[in-house]
Amino acid sequence: RLQGDWSSDVCSSDLVYELVAYDLTTLSGSDLEIVQQFTFKSFTKAYMLEGLLSQNEGEAHHSKNSFSKALFYTSLIDDNNTESKILGSLATIYISRRDYEQGLFCIQKSIDLDIQHRPTLIQRHVLHAICLQQLGQSHQATTSIQHAKKLLDEDLKEGANALFRLGHALLSLNAPYLAVELFDESIECFARSEEHTSELQSPCNL
């Protein structure tokens, strides 16, 4: 069991690292591997939460640092789903700071992980298109938008929620010029989904 002074409600990250290190030195083999996996997952989740909280507060620099740490730990446990989410969050931060080259690097890495989760893929293709468009690669940007639209049409309401969440993230990071466009697209998708539902419920279709 970890030993240390936990009387304070808040422990510094340095103390946490130190106590974990003390504990790990007593383990070996499969026991060490199990504890490492659990520890790395715990740190990943903690830094992701810290990154999200900083993002919601509009603190892009702190958010980026937290997500970078989370990316490091998740790379040690081979969790593609989590890694893709973190890369997407980092890309969003870079885009909000108009660093489109680094944003493109992160979002391409996220897409390459081939995560089959429709809302996440919609957001990734939209971010991909934004970066490409800003870097003057209009043809490739159009291709990414087409990918996003195809996924949106599969479930308009789900797509509307995905666009809204991405818009909210960009708005929190002080990128209202992009957030407004995403909010508009989200409203349009939701309206289309309501129209489709009304058509299905029409007496003529019963």
Side-chain angles (χ1 to χ4, degrees):
R1 193 172 68 87
L2 295 178
Q3 299 296 320
D5 180 12
W6 294 90
S7 58
S8 172
D9 290 336
V10 180
C11 295
S12 70
S13 59
D14 290 340
L15 177 58
V16 173
Y17 280 118
E18 184 178 341
L19 293 173
V20 170
Y22 289 153
D23 198 48
L24 292 178
T25 58
T26 66
L27 301 175
S28 62
S30 60
D31 288 340
L32 177 59
E33 185 176 347
I34 291 171
V35 172
Q36 284 178 330
Q37 290 288 312
F38 176 79
T39 302
F40 295 154
K41 284 183 180 180
S42 297
F43 278 130
T44 297
K45 290 179 180 179
Y47 282 121
M48 285 181 72
L49 177 59
E50 186 176 82
L52 287 170
L53 291 173
S54 296
Q55 176 181 290
N56 288 336
E57 292 295 324
E59 299 177 357
H61 179 71
H62 291 150
S63 183
K64 175 184 169 297
N65 287 344
S66 296
F67 281 122
S68 295
K69 292 175 183 177
L71 183 62
F72 169 75
Y73 282 110
T74 196
S75 69
L76 300 175
I77 57 177
D78 193 27
D79 183 347
N80 285 351
N81 284 306
T82 302
E83 190 172 349
S84 178
K85 290 179 182 178
I86 297 169
L87 285 165
S89 295
L90 284 169
T92 305
I93 294 169
Y94 283 119
I95 290 169
S96 74
R97 298 165 71 174
R98 301 176 190 266
D99 186 348
Y100 300 110
E101 288 188 1
Q102 192 61 31
L104 180 61
F105 175 81
C106 288
I107 207 62
Q108 187 62 63
K109 287 277 189 182
S110 179
I111 291 173
D112 289 344
L113 288 170
D114 195 29
I115 302 304
Q116 299 302 311
H117 182 245
R118 187 164 49 224
T120 300
L121 283 172
I122 290 170
Q123 294 174 344
R124 298 299 173 265
H125 285 302
V126 169
L127 291 173
H128 196 237
I130 291 172
C131 290
L132 289 169
Q133 186 67 44
Q134 293 298 326
L135 292 171
Q137 302 178 41
S138 300
H139 180 70
Q140 294 93 322
T142 299
T143 300
S144 290
I145 287 296
Q146 288 173 346
H147 285 311
K149 285 183 176 179
K150 181 179 178 181
L151 292 166
L152 282 166
D153 287 340
E154 291 176 4
D155 191 325
L156 289 168
K157 191 168 290 187
E158 180 183 66
N161 287 329
L163 292 175
F164 180 85
R165 289 195 300 272
L166 182 57
H168 182 268
L170 286 165
L171 184 62
S172 298
L173 292 166
N174 197 31
Y177 52 96
L178 293 174
V180 169
E181 291 186 26
L182 288 169
F183 289 148
D184 285 345
E185 290 294 331
S186 175
I187 292 170
E188 183 178 334
C189 284
F190 186 77
R192 285 172 57 200
S193 74
E194 290 297 296
E195 289 175 5
H196 182 64
T197 301
S198 297
E199 290 174 2
L200 292 177
Q201 294 177 346
S202 171
C204 296
N205 295 322
L206 296 178

